[in-house]
Amino acid sequence: NAGVTQTPKFQVLKTGQSMTLQCAQDMNHNSMYWYRQDPGMGLRLIYYSASEGTTDKGEVPNGYNVSRLNKREFSLRLESAAPSQTSVYFCASSALAGSNEKLFFGSGTQLSVL
Amino acid sequence: SQQGEEDPQALSIQEGENATMNCSYKTSINNLQWYRQNSGRGLVHLILIRSNEREKHSGRLRVTLDTSKKSSSLLITASRAADTASYFCATDSDDMRFGAGTRLTVKP
């Protein structure tokens, strides 16, 4: 089992460029999440999808859009990248939404916006 | 929804010593989870403790929960260099939020 797979692992963008971060899980999980991690800030939730067909904003959704393409895949899009979006992005999944469920994380995407 | 806050921010100990990290939160919870993150990797789930539990063990890990003080602690006994990582707590909500973590360094 691959678990949670994120692509790409590294990306450099220029300000104003767009890109999509891909995430796929093979555990038949219902819920998926996108976080960003900045030094000293811990993880901050960008968007999540409690189940296929639903998405909700987290703490820091501005500048991002998401698509729950199907049960396996949850993508994060930056329409017009800004230097403030330089960060490490993590995708995660859980069997269900809610506190009884543990999260499984991907290995992250390191994004630099110049 | 809410997030836990870990303390200390950083902890450095010698191999073989015990390491204790704390997590505080603000409102009532049903569950609290602890995760570990090795450098450059995603988080890995360690343990979940429910609000009606006071203590839970998993190998060298011991987690306590004091709902009256709204706090939890993670104890790693007989630490090893491989325990060097950041440790995070997460409190319950539909959207799972994390604190800034405790960075643990175990010196060989």
Side-chain angles (χ1 to χ4, degrees):
Chain A
N1 268 348
V4 179
T5 303
Q6 289 182 237
T7 56
K9 291 190 184 301
F10 301 95
Q11 183 72 48
V12 178
L13 295 177
K14 294 181 180 178
T15 297
Q17 287 186 315
S18 63
M19 79 159 295
T20 299
L21 280 65
Q22 307 287 352
C23 176
Q25 51 88 12
D26 62 2
M27 296 173 282
N28 200 35
H29 283 172
N30 287 293
S31 303
M32 299 184 73
Y33 310 78
W34 276 106
Y35 291 88
R36 59 177 288 173
Q37 185 175 33
D38 303 298
M41 298 286 289
L43 280 83
R44 291 185 291 169
L45 182 67
I46 305 171
Y47 271 93
Y48 68 102
S49 171
S51 61
E52 186 180 357
T54 68
T55 60
D56 287 284
K57 295 178 180 179
E59 294 177 80
V60 289
N62 291 346
Y64 305 95
N65 286 302
V66 290
S67 295
R68 184 74 183 266
L69 304 169
N70 47 55
K71 192 171 185 180
R72 290 187 64 248
E73 298 172 288
F74 188 39
S75 63
L76 178 72
R77 183 162 178 84
L78 287 70
E79 290 290 352
S80 179
S84 61
Q85 294 178 304
T86 293
S87 188
V88 181
Y89 291 84
F90 289 98
C91 177
S93 71
S94 62
L96 295 170
S99 63
N100 290 324
E101 304 294 329
K102 63 181 182 181
L103 298 184
F104 293 81
F105 283 81
S107 57
T109 295
Q110 190 164 322
L111 175 67
S112 295
V113 183
L114 306 177
Chain B
S1 58
Q2 61 170 325
Q3 62 191 71
E5 295 182 3
E6 298 88 350
D7 118 87
Q9 289 187 326
L11 180 61
S12 182
I13 59 174
Q14 294 294 135
E15 208 165 27
E17 293 180 339
N18 295 341
T20 300
M21 289 155 272
N22 303 296
C23 171
S24 60
Y25 55 92
K26 295 180 180 176
T27 62
S28 61
I29 61 170
N30 296 311
N31 301 286
L32 184 144
Q33 301 185 38
W34 284 92
Y35 288 78
R36 182 187 72 227
Q37 183 182 33
N38 291 93
S39 182
R41 301 288 192 91
L43 278 69
V44 174
H45 181 266
L46 293 176
I47 200 163
L48 179 152
I49 186 166
R50 303 183 193 285
S51 60
N52 62 353
E53 297 176 311
R54 291 296 166 259
E55 190 170 308
K56 201 163 184 179
H57 296 256
S58 176
R60 292 183 297 112
L61 305 181
R62 176 184 158 225
V63 170
T64 61
L65 180 64
D66 187 335
T67 53
S68 67
K69 295 181 179 178
K70 293 186 172 55
S71 68
S72 174
S73 66
L74 170 66
L75 169 67
I76 304 174
T77 60
S79 63
R80 304 167 182 169
D83 294 327
T84 294
S86 292
Y87 293 82
F88 297 86
C89 66
T91 51
D92 64 313
S93 66
D94 282 341
D95 57 359
M96 287 296 288
R97 301 195 180 191
F98 293 80
T102 293
R103 181 185 296 273
L104 173 66
T105 302
V106 181
K107 300 176 183 176

